Structures are given as C-alpha cells and as structure tokens.
Amino acid sequence: MSITVPAPPAAAATPPPPGGAAAVRRRGPAIPLRYAAGRIGGAAVSMLAVVFTGFFLFRIVPGDPVRAMTRGRPVDATQLAALRHQFGIDKPLIAQFGDYTLRVARGDLGTSYQYKSSVSSLIGSHVWPTVYLVGTATLIAALLGLRIGVRSAWKHGSRSDRANTGIALVLWSMPTFWLGLILIVVFSVGVGPIPGMFPTGGMSSPDVHGLLPSFWDHVRHLVLPCVTLIAVIYAQYLLTMRATLLEEIGADYLTTARAKGLRDDDVRRKHAVPNAMLPAVTLVFLNLGTAVSGSILAETIFSWPGLGSLFYEALTVPDLPLLEGLFIFFSAAVILMNLLAELLYPILDPRVRTS
C-alpha cells in the first residue's frame, strides 16, 4: 500500500512594501529636523543670555572711564559731568540697560569711548590679524595634536607615547605669557650662540617693500606668536584624541575587523579613528570659534594688532561699548561653531540620528 505525502503548501508571497525597493533603501535625512531645531533653539537661548550678561558683566569692572581718559589733563567737574552725559553713563543702571538692549536689537554695537569710532568698524579692522595668527596656530595645532594623539593611543604604553604625552602636558601647563617671554629672550634678543632671528612684535616692518620681501617679513613676525600658541594648545587635541581612541581599542568591532584579515593600519584608519572623532570635532570647532577672539596674552606680549590686544586696551579704560561689543562678538563665534559641530554629529555618526 503506497502512501502519498502531500506537497507542502506554497509560501505566501510577501507583498512588496509601499513605494517598492526604493522605500526599503530610503533613509531619514542626514540631519533630523527635530534635532536641528532643538540645537538651533538652544544656540538662540545662549545668545540671548550672552547679550544680557554682556551688559552687567563689565559694569562691575572697577574704574571710571571718564577719569581714565582725562588723566593728566586739566578738566574740572563740569567737564567731567558733560563727558559722562555724552557717554550716557550718568543715567540710572536700568535706563542704561534699556538703551543697550534697544541698540543691540538694531544691530548697533555702539561707539567706542576712546577711539570715537563705531565698535563694529573697530572689530572689522582688527579681525583679520587675529584670524591670521590664531587661525594658523589652531590649524597647525589640530593637525599635529590629532596625528600624534592617534599614534600615541595606538601604541599606548610605549616609550614614544610616554614622551609625547609628557611633553604635551609640560607645554600645556606653561603660562602663555611666560612661554612667549622666553621665546622673545631666546630667539629675538638672542642668548649665547643663538642669535636674535625674529622680530619682537607687530605684524610687519614699516621699511620693507616689495611682494616677496613683505611676505617673508610677515612670516618672520608670525613665527614666535604662532609657535607660542601651538605649544600651548596642541596638547588639548593630543590628549583628547588619545583618550577617546583608547576607549575604542578594545571594542569587539575592531577584533572582528582584524579577524577578517584587515591590516592594522586599515583597522585604525577606517574603523577606530572615525568612531573616536566626535570629541575631537567638538574641540576643533570650539577652538575655531575662539580663533576670532584671539589670545589676549599672546597678542599683548607680541604687540599683535588683533582683537585680543584691542580687548586688553578696552579693559584698561574701561571702554564699556567696546568691551560689550567684543564680548558679544567672541561669544557669538563660539556659539556658532559649537552649533555647526552639533549639526555635523549626525553626519559623522548615524547613531546620533536615533538618539
């Protein structure tokens, strides 16, 4: 007697998803709208806080602007009162705050007490030297620090790792003004067999003419302040990249990549470093924001005509409109760069889109 085994039923066809294969491959936007809106809103709130803080912060700075600007000149009480009325600092504090708020809302940063010029024009005339100096130093420090940080983390515990980390920590702990003065003494004045090779201050020499001589003169003036900033700040990149990469070294996905036969350099470059870049990206963008604010100590020591030295001069008076305008400008640059870094996160790491 034969037994007939019934054939298994045919599998039910799975209906295609709406929109076809393109719907399967479709992904969300690189930067989710809710994520972007939240970050932009946070930046706007931070900017409002900066505007309000900028007024009261410099009102507690000791000193009388009128007396500072008339020091050594024969002025009487009536003239002092007229100057205070002209600058608007004889009004009650709440009235000054109202004038300040309305002025900033119109995009007017005011007029400098000591320069008798608009704050916006002063910032515009001093921003390029600062970007030239601090931007160059930030770019070189980032490239140098990130590269050495990756090498140190990948060979952690080695002699080169200990040497690089130790040198970076020593330089980072040095005060900027002290290191700048040491470089001036050694490489500008000259010590023993080391001759004075670089100018002590300024951005150029007045007696140099011609395209190539002027370019070389600018480079010579740039060397000492740029080296001072690089030596102080490159350790931030090195230590941040090293610490972040060390957290990734023992991850399972790197073990899997090695098991697939990838070379060690490919594992580091294609897998480990991209996953360790977020903290470094944040640091790079924040330092780019501070690149327009300059370094007050470095620019003052080397007489560099940038925003840092302008802020120092305004602080000695105190020149309230100039201080407030510079504070708003510096803060806006940092907030903007931080916002750009946060908007870049979902592109660098898709996990941020679903968090």
Side-chain angles (χ1 to χ4, degrees), residues 214-271:
S214 297
F215 173 77
W216 177 241
D217 182 59
H218 276 78
V219 171
R220 292 180 66 246
H221 281 80
L222 179 67
V223 168
L224 291 185
C226 191
V227 168
T228 301
L229 293 177
I230 291 172
V232 172
I233 65 178
Y234 96 98
Q236 303 177 45
Y237 300 100
L238 188 154
L239 298 175
T240 300
M241 194 67 206
R242 180 181 182 276
T244 310
L245 192 56
L246 282 176
E247 296 178 358
E248 300 289 335
I249 284 180
D252 293 338
Y253 71 91
L254 295 184
T255 305
T256 304
R258 292 189 181 95
K260 291 180 178 179
L262 290 180
R263 295 184 306 166
D264 195 58
D265 287 344
D266 292 334
V267 173
R268 182 186 68 243
R269 186 178 66 255
K270 296 180 180 180
H271 295 276

Side-chain angles (χ1 to χ4, degrees), residues 5-19:
V5 179
T14 304

Side-chain angles (χ1 to χ4, degrees), residues 143-319:
L143 295 175
L144 182 67
L146 293 179
R147 182 172 180 81
I148 296 177
V150 169
R151 296 289 181 180
S152 295
W154 208 248
K155 299 180 179 180
H156 63 282
S158 64
R159 187 174 300 175
S160 62
D161 174 37
R162 293 195 297 268
N164 289 328
T165 306
I167 293 172
L169 288 173
V170 170
L171 292 175
W172 197 12
S173 64
M174 288 184 181
T176 304
F177 74 91
W178 184 83
L179 180 60
L181 291 175
I182 292 297
L183 291 179
I184 289 176
V185 170
V186 175
F187 295 105
S188 186
V189 178
V191 174
I194 303 177
M197 297 177 288
F198 300 103
T200 57
M203 198 173 169
S204 61
S205 301
D207 55 345
V208 176
H209 305 285
L211 182 60
L212 289 179
S214 297
F215 173 77
W216 177 241
D217 182 59
H218 276 78
V219 171
R220 292 180 66 246
H221 281 80
L222 179 67
V223 168
L224 291 185
C226 191
V227 168
T228 301
L229 293 177
I230 291 172
V232 172
I233 65 178
Y234 96 98
Q236 303 177 45
Y237 300 100
L238 188 154
L239 298 175
T240 300
M241 194 67 206
R242 180 181 182 276
T244 310
L245 192 56
L246 282 176
E247 296 178 358
E248 300 289 335
I249 284 180
D252 293 338
Y253 71 91
L254 295 184
T255 305
T256 304
R258 292 189 181 95
K260 291 180 178 179
L262 290 180
R263 295 184 306 166
D264 195 58
D265 287 344
D266 292 334
V267 173
R268 182 186 68 243
R269 186 178 66 255
K270 296 180 180 180
H271 295 276
V273 172
N275 284 294
M277 279 300 294
L278 287 187
V281 167
T282 302
L283 186 60
V284 168
F285 273 86
L286 287 178
N287 282 337
L288 285 177
T290 58
V292 299
S293 63
S295 173
I296 296 176
L297 293 176
E299 291 188 11
T300 303
I301 291 170
F302 292 99
S303 302
W304 193 265
L307 294 177
S309 59
L310 183 65
F311 187 88
Y312 174 78
E313 293 173 4
L315 198 59
T316 57
V317 174
D319 192 336

Side-chain angles (χ1 to χ4, degrees), residues 54 58-59 61-66 68-69 87 89 103 109-119 122 310-327:
F58 299 108
R59 290 304 188 281
V61 175
D64 185 349
V66 173
M69 289 185 292
F87 296 151
I89 56 178
R103 176 165 48 81
L109 297 180
T111 302
S112 169
Y113 293 164
Q114 54 181 334
Y115 292 102
K116 305 297 188 295
S117 179
S118 69
V119 173
L122 288 171
L310 183 65
F311 187 88
Y312 174 78
E313 293 173 4
L315 198 59
T316 57
V317 174
D319 192 336
L320 297 179
L322 186 54
L323 288 172
E324 293 162 353
L326 287 170
F327 179 74

